[in-house]
Amino acid sequence: MSLQLPSKPRKTYETIISVVIALVILASFVSLRITWSDLPQVPAQVWHYLKLMFENPDWSRLPRALMEMWRSISMAWIGMIGTVILSIPLGMLAARGVGPAWLRALLRGLFAVIRAFPEAVVAIILLTVTGLTPFTGALALAICGIGQQSKWAYETIESLPPGPAEAVRAAGGTTAETVRWALWPQAAPALISFALYRFEINIRTSAVLGMVGAGGIGDMLSNYTNYRQWDVVGMTLIVIIVATMIVDAISGAIRRRIMRGATVRATVAEPGSDAEREDRRRDVLIAAEGTGGR
């Protein structure tokens, strides 16, 4: 009796996907019109400009750079507050089990549309209305942040344990009461952490918005770059790097404290429930032993 070997699995689908990906990559290189002969010169050019910027930075304009950096931080902070005020309630309404299906679909579609627009594009559109002011950058950051922050909000709500919400509904609670007493206490640490993370993102993005005329440190960086004053550009970049690292460190420490605090509270509550279950288990064993003894 001859053994029949299994047929070799076909990889037609994987082959087609690989060919399509390869064609897309090839088309990307062709459309960019890269001059490959210039690539060996890039490292030397980069090193040349790094020396111009950081070999002898011009610290005489440091006070102005610090003031512009503060404007960028203020822009980022105001944008984050606007994002949080709008995104948390909208994100909760978009969560499954909170808002009706038609409203969830409408809000999630709106969030997807907002995420499709970069902050710089929104700032350019707003410039025609609000003018060349830092408020334009703050407004652009607030609007663009809604798309991502709301997505984080409804995904956080949907990932929560269903027990507390079901208990509130079983007791006759309304949707608003369920959100207030069941969903919000569980989701608040994560949502606050996401808000601080959004602030870190806004710090970096505010420098880019300044280059399109929204003010702040990016505006100063763009102006001195256009005039080829590389020593001032280097000093400005140092200010941006140091300020961003300081803000990231402070924000990261606060976020870790918030999340660790939530974990500690949950851990503290856990031994009590375990102890109660252990007591009940011991009582059952003692009762069973007493019954067996009789």
Side-chain angles (χ1 to χ4, degrees):
M1 182 177 178
S2 60
L3 295 176
Q4 184 178 1
L5 297 177
S7 59
K8 187 177 181 180
R10 297 181 179 180
K11 297 184 178 181
T12 306
Y13 181 76
E14 291 81 356
T15 303
I16 294 175
I17 295 297
S18 301
V19 171
V20 170
I21 293 175
L23 291 176
V24 170
I25 295 174
L26 181 61
S28 301
F29 279 107
V30 172
S31 61
L32 289 177
R33 298 179 181 177
I34 300 175
T35 306
W36 297 101
S37 59
D38 295 339
L39 289 181
Q41 304 173 7
V42 171
Q45 293 177 356
V46 170
W47 177 250
H48 171 69
Y49 284 104
L50 287 176
K51 287 182 62 178
L52 290 177
M53 289 187 290
F54 299 111
E55 192 174 34
N56 188 22
D58 185 1
W59 298 105
S60 63
R61 292 178 174 84
L62 179 61
R64 183 193 168 190
L66 294 175
M67 179 58 66
E68 296 296 337
M69 190 68 226
W70 172 250
R71 288 180 180 174
S72 293
I73 294 175
S74 302
M75 187 192 310
W77 179 253
I78 294 173
M80 186 271 289
I81 293 175
T83 294
V84 170
I85 291 174
L86 294 174
S87 64
I88 289 181
L90 292 178
M92 287 188 169
L93 287 174
R96 196 175 297 107
V98 179
W102 66 268
L103 182 59
R104 294 201 308 267
L106 180 63
L107 288 175
R108 294 189 184 198
L110 176 62
F111 301 153
V113 171
I114 293 175
R115 289 196 301 272
F117 287 91
E119 288 85 351
V121 175
V122 176
I124 291 173
I125 296 173
L126 293 175
L127 284 175
T128 59
V129 180
T130 57
L132 298 173
T133 63
F135 176 70
T136 302
L139 196 57
L141 291 173
I143 293 173
C144 292
I146 292 173
Q148 188 62 56
Q149 197 77 16
S150 299
K151 180 179 173 63
W152 288 339
Y154 71 71
E155 287 182 349
T156 300
I157 296 297
E158 291 177 352
S159 65
L160 296 176
E166 292 175 354
V168 174
R169 292 192 184 98
T174 62
T175 300
E177 291 171 339
T178 302
V179 171
R180 171 63 184 87
W181 300 109
L183 300 179
W184 172 250
Q186 297 182 87
L191 295 180
I192 295 173
S193 177
F194 286 146
L196 291 172
Y197 182 59
R198 185 68 207 181
F199 175 56
E200 297 176 17
I201 295 174
N202 286 355
I203 292 291
R204 300 175 181 86
T205 309
S206 62
V208 179
L209 294 183
M211 296 183 180
V212 298
I217 193 69
D219 192 12
M220 179 179 177
L221 181 64
S222 177
N223 290 335
Y224 284 104
T225 301
N226 292 334
Y227 287 108
R228 300 295 190 270
Q229 297 187 23
W230 301 114
D231 51 351
V232 182
V233 172
M235 181 273 300
T236 307
L237 290 175
I238 293 174
V239 170
I240 293 174
I241 293 170
V242 172
T244 303
M245 292 176 64
I246 292 174
V247 171
D248 284 356
I250 296 174
S251 177
I254 295 174
R255 285 193 290 112
R256 286 191 297 273
R257 179 65 183 88
I258 291 172
M259 300 307 295
R260 190 180 299 119
T263 305
V264 169
R265 286 192 293 272
T267 305
V268 169
E270 211 43 50
S273 58
D274 288 343
E276 292 175 1
R277 286 196 296 270
E278 186 63 29
D279 290 340
R280 287 195 297 269
R281 189 182 302 110
R282 186 166 52 250
D283 293 339
V284 171
L285 291 175
I286 292 173
E289 290 176 0
T291 303
R294 290 197 298 271

